[in-house]
Amino acid sequence: MVKVRNDNFNIEQIAKSGQCFRLAPNPNEAHTWTLIAYDKLLDIKQEPNSNEVILFCSQQEFDELWKYYFDLDTDYGAYIECVPPDDIYLTRATQIGSGIRILNQEPWEMMVSFMISQNNNIPRIKHSIELLCQAYGEKNHTSDGRVWFSFPKACQLMEIEKLQNMGLGYRDKYIQQLAESVCTGKLNIQDLKVMTDNELRTALLSMYGIGTKVANCIMLFGFHRIASFPKDVWIKRIIEQQYGGHFSTEPYKGFEGVIQQYIFYYAMNKLDLKDKADI
DNA sequence: GACCAGGTGTCCG
DNA sequence: CGGACACCTGGT
């Protein structure tokens, strides 16, 4: 068990920030979460409004993986401080979502996940991913008897018939082709990792089923290119409604994607309305 | 049952 | 280049 204290680390906010799909509240125990990533399951506990996060893993596993996964060497407070006080909307958004971080997730999983995300909504995306994992991931058991499945490897997803009945709709052929490229070695993810942002974007855009938005999401969430700024309908709506159609990323050079997350989380979870409803 | 959200491919100008 | 439209599915 490892305890982490950090004022910019909130599991619930991260789970609701739209960047990950396999981090879910544990239905049996309050304030606990279960994460599946890198072929591992991690239980997490965080009391509401606490800056302490408890990770149920060994110190070694934390040092080798989860510290990196949660990007714990980066100071997110420094990003938030770059928001000009006269930007009321973003100031509020960073207050509401101050515990958001950009995770270091697996590129392959993110490529598939964000292909599924196109023209789709989050519950459906999660559902499709779970179906894929249950059908083609590796089955595992926790010490207390829970069953869980790892994310499938590329070679498991390269036959189109295996992608039926996963709720993927027309996206099945995109995933089939991606899986085939990765499995056969035609596409080497290690090569993508060392590319510049522009090279990586071009490479992603050349793939069947990946357009501008998905490419930017894969860059930000799968390759940790935090200068990437995906514009989905939510972001476009906010730019339209709050910024008169033009949002300058000038104050956020090099970490535009972090700012995007604050906007997305704030907009998507409609938190001010919820606050009012609670009163 | 009609209609809608959501991002990309495709076709057309 | 930009605009129009089809594509699947699950939700109203």
Side-chain angles (χ1 to χ4, degrees):
Chain A
M1 179 173 114
V2 176
K3 289 186 182 182
V4 178
R5 275 197 187 278
N6 189 315
D7 288 339
N8 299 289
F9 189 15
N10 186 288
I11 296 298
E12 182 172 9
Q13 290 173 19
I14 291 169
K16 292 181 178 175
S17 69
Q19 63 177 303
C20 56
F21 303 104
R22 306 197 75 199
L23 170 58
N26 187 333
N28 303 317
E29 209 179 328
H31 318 310
T32 68
W33 303 76
T34 303
L35 165 70
I36 299 169
Y38 290 89
D39 296 333
K40 291 182 166 45
L41 179 146
L42 178 69
D43 285 306
I44 306 167
K45 181 161 189 158
Q46 183 175 36
E47 302 289 344
N49 306 317
S50 168
N51 68 350
E52 184 180 72
V53 177
I54 301 169
L55 307 175
F56 293 89
C57 65
S58 68
Q59 184 68 44
Q60 186 187 350
E61 190 174 295
F62 173 77
D63 291 338
E64 288 173 358
L65 177 61
W66 302 119
K67 188 176 155 187
Y68 162 76
Y69 181 87
F70 288 109
D71 199 26
L72 289 170
D73 285 332
T74 301
D75 179 9
Y76 281 76
Y79 296 139
I80 292 174
E81 281 173 24
C82 293
V83 175
D86 64 346
D87 187 335
I88 309 291
Y89 185 84
L90 203 38
T91 297
R92 185 80 182 121
T94 53
Q95 286 166 355
I96 295 288
S98 62
I100 292 171
R101 315 180 71 79
I102 309 291
L103 304 173
N104 279 294
Q105 301 184 81
E106 290 184 273
W108 155 251
E109 181 175 335
M110 291 303 103
M111 290 169 92
V112 175
S113 298
F114 282 97
M115 264 188 175
I116 296 173
S117 81
Q118 69 177 76
N119 214 8
N120 215 336
N121 58 53
I122 288 174
R124 269 177 55 195
I125 299 164
K126 288 181 174 173
H127 183 234
S128 285
I129 291 173
E130 280 326 301
L131 289 177
L132 284 173
C133 292
Q134 285 167 23
Y136 307 115
E138 234 171 84
K139 191 175 185 179
N140 297 278
H141 304 263
T142 61
S143 53
D144 61 346
R146 286 170 289 161
V147 174
W148 60 277
F149 296 88
S150 64
F151 194 85
K153 306 300 174 206
C155 298
Q156 292 295 119
L157 302 183
M158 61 187 283
E159 292 131 59
I160 192 76
E161 310 81 53
K162 291 171 77 175
L163 300 175
Q164 311 300 333
N165 307 314
M166 300 284 142
L168 297 170
Y170 59 88
R171 304 163 196 82
D172 56 1
K173 54 188 182 288
Y174 304 153
I175 293 167
Q176 187 279 326
Q177 201 168 114
L178 174 70
E180 190 175 316
S181 296
V182 173
C183 180
T184 60
K186 187 178 156 218
L187 175 69
N188 185 340
I189 289 176
Q190 295 307 318
D191 292 345
L192 299 178
K193 284 186 184 177
V194 297
M195 288 181 181
T196 65
D197 283 9
N198 282 336
E199 288 168 348
L200 177 58
R201 184 174 289 106
T202 303
L204 291 170
L205 287 173
S206 74
M207 297 175 202
Y208 184 42
I210 300 183
T212 316
K213 192 273 180 180
V214 169
N216 281 321
C217 281
I218 293 171
M219 288 179 68
L220 179 57
F221 304 125
F223 291 86
H224 208 76
R225 305 302 176 97
I226 61 170
S228 176
F229 190 99
K231 284 182 191 154
D232 71 335
V233 289
W234 293 93
I235 298 291
K236 286 177 183 166
R237 235 172 255 159
I238 296 303
I239 292 179
E240 208 53 50
Q241 291 167 6
Q242 302 289 330
Y243 294 92
H246 181 73
F247 177 75
S248 172
T249 56
E250 195 60 36
Y252 318 114
K253 274 244 173 299
F255 57 96
E256 293 89 335
V258 181
I259 298 300
Q260 186 268 7
Q261 278 299 95
Y262 296 126
I263 298 174
F264 184 87
Y265 176 77
Y266 187 43
M268 184 87 188
N269 293 286
K270 298 187 183 78
L271 289 156
D272 279 356
L273 293 172
K274 205 178 137 213
D275 289 347
K276 282 173 195 161
D278 286 344
I279 294 168

